Amino acid sequence: MQAAPIQRLIASLSKLPGIGRKTAQRLAYFIIKSDGDYAYELSDAIAEAKKNVKYCSVCGNISDRDPCEYCSAPSRDQSVICVVQDSKDIIAIERTKEFKGLYHVLGGAISPMEGIGPDDLRIPQLMARLNSAVTEVILATNLNVEGETTAMYVARMIKPLGIKTTRIARGIPAGADLEYTDEATLSNALEGRRVID
Ligand code: ZN
């Protein structure tokens, strides 16, 4: 039997994505047994991050400022908005150094299985940003069923506005998460994006 405080730590750690019970147990013991102040540093870093990180009111990105570093940078091309599911996808696209426009984070993808509908995503916020200065919207949602459904839905919403809507595609295998797509492939997919009509 494990002591109650250790059980609590294991239970908390196993809620993290990709962490099973076994790994949670290993991490819990590592943290407890670690030398010096590591355990306190870790808990402090988590608390600080949670307290100081905010969502950009324009694009929905996670940042330490509002508007975020992309929305507030005059050097970014204001005429192109790249729509992604998650803040993590921005990091993936930035790594390609291919894209210089703005972003919009939807906060997920349409998934009837998980009970996520269009109303649960930041689609109205995207529509509100589509003024005459915007000439293209790139749909860079994941290449799985949910991502494709979401891209098609957003494309249909934008169509009446007459703004060019494109979808990343080339080279990315079906079912892929942007987050785990390498830079060269993602760069290629951005460059080879096709118009949705
Ligand atoms: Zn922003």
Side-chain angles (χ1 to χ4, degrees):
M1 263 315 272
Q2 278 154 337
I6 298 179
Q7 280 183 31
R8 186 183 158 205
L9 180 57
I10 293 170
S12 292
L13 289 169
S14 42
K15 284 182 191 161
L16 294 169
I19 304 290
R21 177 119 197 128
K22 251 186 160 158
T23 307
Q25 197 159 316
R26 203 154 49 86
L27 291 173
Y29 279 98
F30 175 85
I31 292 165
I32 291 161
K33 287 198 213 157
S34 62
D35 297 333
D37 290 336
Y38 176 70
Y40 300 106
E41 259 171 51
L42 177 65
S43 73
D44 195 49
I46 294 170
E48 277 295 300
K50 180 70 183 168
K51 202 165 68 196
N52 294 320
V53 163
K54 45 194 125 208
Y55 289 94
C56 173
S57 57
V58 181
C59 74
N61 183 24
I62 293 175
S63 180
D64 59 351
R65 64 191 104 152
D66 182 18
C68 74
E69 55 270 44
Y70 306 110
C71 292
S72 58
S75 59
R76 305 287 304 199
D77 181 355
Q78 314 280 316
S79 70
V80 190
I81 297 178
C82 181
V83 177
V84 294
Q85 289 182 206
D86 198 280
S87 284
K88 292 193 296 278
D89 302 328
I90 295 182
I91 312 291
I93 292 172
E94 281 299 298
R95 271 202 305 263
T96 69
K97 298 186 170 62
E98 193 74 31
F99 182 69
K100 298 281 174 253
L102 301 175
Y103 291 100
H104 191 85
V105 180
L106 292 174
I110 296 170
S111 170
M113 293 274 286
E114 290 173 51
I116 303 169
D119 296 344
D120 301 307
L121 305 176
R122 300 183 66 259
I123 296 173
Q125 290 89 333
L126 172 66
M127 300 309 289
R129 293 178 67 187
L130 301 181
N131 54 38
S132 57
V134 179
T135 56
E136 181 181 357
V137 175
I138 303 173
L139 299 168
T141 49
N142 288 336
L143 277 290
N144 54 20
V145 175
E146 292 80 15
E148 292 290 0
T149 306
T150 309
M152 289 310 122
Y153 182 88
V154 174
R156 264 207 313 276
M157 298 284 293
I158 297 174
K159 198 179 163 74
L161 304 177
I163 296 171
K164 182 164 94 168
T165 310
T166 56
R167 176 83 173 116
I168 54 158
R170 199 168 68 192
I172 300 187
D177 270 18
L178 251 59
E179 199 191 337
Y180 305 117
T181 306
D182 67 273
E183 284 150 61
T185 308
L186 194 49
S187 182
N188 214 357
L190 270 170
E191 203 187 322
R193 63 190 184 269
R194 57 185 168 73
V195 176
I196 302 174
D197 45 24

